[in-house]
Amino acid sequence: MSTISTLMVAPSQVVRGSGILSGSGSLVARLGQRPLLVGGDRTLQAAAPFLTEMLHGLKVVQASYRNDCCETSLAQLRQAVTDHGADLIIGVGGGKALDAAKLLAHQTQLPVITIPTSAATCAAWTALSNVYSDQGAFRYDVGLPVCPNLLLLDYELVATAPKRTLIAGIGDAIAKWYEASVSSGHSSQTLIIGAVQQARVLRDILFQKSAAALENPGGDDWREVVDASVLMAGVIGGIGGAQCRTVAAHSVHNGLTQIPSSHSMLHGEKVAYGILVQLRLEEMAANNALAVAARQQLLRFYTQIGLPMTLNDLGLEEMSVMELRQAAEFACQPQSDIHHLPFAVSPQQVMAAMVSTTAPCRRSPPEASVSPLPSKAQSPSRKS
């Protein structure tokens, strides 16, 4: 008898295009008349010109999630919902703002609209919120029962974000292939096979289009990379479920957040570095030659677009051995997703991998190259 599983695949409605916010008032009003607008103070101020027409005629109150999606901020936001008599939550901003808005909507049983202001994560899509401490250290994630009711992706708004946010989004999105393929690449389940294949296509799109996208913000390739980072990355987690979302790369991110000096770096920057750590673990612990080729391919790609490759690149050149151990031990907690790897790892191994992400190859693997986008399903392989 098969096990019952529930998938939260996608938002109920996704609207994307240039300048679409000004024409989305009727979609918002259909969900509520007294929205609480959740975001960071600076982001809400910067986004205000894009939201004015959309929110015209509604009784709107703004509430800041402050610095993090944390329990203290969520308690204050719940009070703001009560004080305003809100009937709708609208999240505006990056990953932490959108995670706070989604979790707040779940806690108060209200519909939620997500409006990303950058392409730094796929948080606008997913039924998941990460919760941090008041000091910005990752604590736990919350699986939500539904994806957002409405996702509004306005390219004109996203184009106002710094280039660094898109680079970080590329790092976060490309992790889907390296994590899903190692945890689920041999699954016989139809939807998981589909998710892993989509992760491979996503990787190839990013390899092929990222450099051109960054050179021409607002152009056709830029839009495709934004869609890949914000939307397609979310699809993979939706179809594949939890086991296709995160493995070692995100676990390393979570460990690094325990170190205050890492907080100036973006989520996707730490995840991108975490992919290299994961590949080093596959090299050292599993003697995986394909991981060597994949790491060398990624190092070339990171150099091309400006993703961090080392602790120094993350601004952690003065990280102490004690802090390194703290990050590695957190990444290896019993409930950590790092244990989705097909072999056991210890904090000592993670520490060794963290300080050797750019180590030269010790053998000569076949040259890795970017394959054309597949026209039909292909078996997952780190070679391509």
Side-chain angles (χ1 to χ4, degrees), residues 260-312:
S261 54
S262 78
H263 294 171
S264 61
M265 302 304 292
L266 299 178
H267 171 87
E269 293 170 332
K270 286 177 278 198
V271 170
Y273 162 79
I275 302 171
L276 299 177
V277 176
Q278 176 178 308
L279 291 172
R280 281 294 285 154
L281 288 169
E282 293 181 59
E283 292 173 47
M284 296 187 299
N287 198 30
N288 187 332
L290 293 179
V292 179
R295 182 169 62 89
Q296 295 305 313
Q297 184 181 35
L298 273 185
L299 289 173
R300 291 191 294 272
F301 179 64
Y302 285 15
T303 299
Q304 183 182 32
I305 69 169
L307 279 168
M309 297 180 284
T310 65
L311 289 169
N312 285 7

Side-chain angles (χ1 to χ4, degrees), residues 3-351:
T3 302
I4 296 174
S5 63
T6 302
L7 295 176
M8 287 64 70
V9 175
S12 300
Q13 186 174 14
V14 177
V15 181
R16 62 192 175 103
S18 291
I20 55 100
L21 289 175
S22 61
S24 298
S26 61
L27 298 175
V28 175
R30 186 178 63 193
L31 292 171
Q33 298 294 311
R34 299 180 63 85
L36 183 72
L37 203 62
V38 176
D41 292 326
R42 286 180 294 180
T43 298
L44 290 175
Q45 183 177 1
F50 295 89
L51 305 175
T52 301
E53 188 172 347
M54 182 187 79
L55 298 174
H56 179 72
L58 302 178
K59 298 185 183 300
V60 184
V61 166
Q62 296 185 7
S64 173
Y65 76 101
R66 302 188 183 276
N67 295 323
D68 278 293
C69 176
C70 61
E71 292 178 358
T72 301
S73 294
L74 287 163
Q76 294 170 343
L77 290 170
R78 289 194 298 272
Q79 187 60 50
V81 167
T82 300
D83 293 344
H84 179 49
D87 58 4
L88 169 65
I89 307 299
I90 302 177
V92 180
K96 290 185 177 182
L98 300 179
D99 278 1
K102 291 183 297 182
L103 186 49
L104 173 67
H106 169 62
Q107 292 174 342
T108 56
Q109 297 299 292
L110 294 176
V112 62
I113 297 171
T114 53
I115 303 175
T117 56
S118 76
T121 74
C122 60
W125 183 283
T126 59
L128 184 74
S129 290
N130 290 325
V131 179
Y132 295 78
S133 72
D134 290 357
Q135 292 74 39
F138 176 84
R139 285 293 172 261
Y140 58 90
D141 58 40
V142 180
L144 304 173
V146 293
C147 290
N149 300 83
L150 174 62
L151 190 167
L152 298 173
L153 176 58
D154 192 322
Y155 298 118
E156 291 184 7
L157 175 57
V158 172
T160 65
K163 180 186 292 189
R164 178 186 176 190
T165 61
L166 180 56
I167 295 172
I170 293 166
D172 191 34
I174 207 168
K176 290 288 186 289
W177 163 251
Y178 298 94
E179 295 189 296
S181 62
V182 75
S183 69
S184 308
H186 300 291
S187 175
S188 62
Q189 297 180 44
T190 298
L191 291 179
I192 293 177
I193 292 171
V196 174
Q197 290 293 339
Q198 287 296 311
R200 177 178 178 165
V201 174
L202 172 61
R203 179 205 64 178
D204 287 353
I205 289 171
L206 294 173
F207 275 157
Q208 294 169 2
K209 297 186 176 184
S210 291
L214 293 168
E215 290 174 3
N216 185 25
D220 291 343
D221 285 330
W222 178 88
R223 291 190 183 202
E224 298 305 328
V225 171
V226 168
D227 282 354
S229 301
V230 178
L231 308 179
M232 191 173 179
V235 172
I236 293 161
I239 294 175
Q243 69 189 86
C244 278
R245 288 196 192 110
T246 61
V247 186
H250 277 80
S251 299
V252 169
H253 161 276
N254 296 343
L256 286 173
T257 66
Q258 310 308 306
I259 312 305
S261 54
S262 78
H263 294 171
S264 61
M265 302 304 292
L266 299 178
H267 171 87
E269 293 170 332
K270 286 177 278 198
V271 170
Y273 162 79
I275 302 171
L276 299 177
V277 176
Q278 176 178 308
L279 291 172
R280 281 294 285 154
L281 288 169
E282 293 181 59
E283 292 173 47
M284 296 187 299
N287 198 30
N288 187 332
L290 293 179
V292 179
R295 182 169 62 89
Q296 295 305 313
Q297 184 181 35
L298 273 185
L299 289 173
R300 291 191 294 272
F301 179 64
Y302 285 15
T303 299
Q304 183 182 32
I305 69 169
L307 279 168
M309 297 180 284
T310 65
L311 289 169
N312 285 7
D313 294 341
L314 289 170
L316 298 174
E317 61 273 5
E318 297 185 4
M319 189 178 192
S320 68
V321 174
M322 184 178 297
E323 289 175 322
L324 184 68
R325 178 174 294 279
Q326 180 184 359
E329 289 180 345
F330 190 92
C332 292
Q333 289 184 111
Q335 71 274 24
S336 172
D337 290 337
I338 202 169
H339 303 301
H340 291 159
L341 287 170
F343 50 85
V345 294
S346 67
Q348 290 75 19
Q349 289 171 309
V350 173
M351 291 173 68

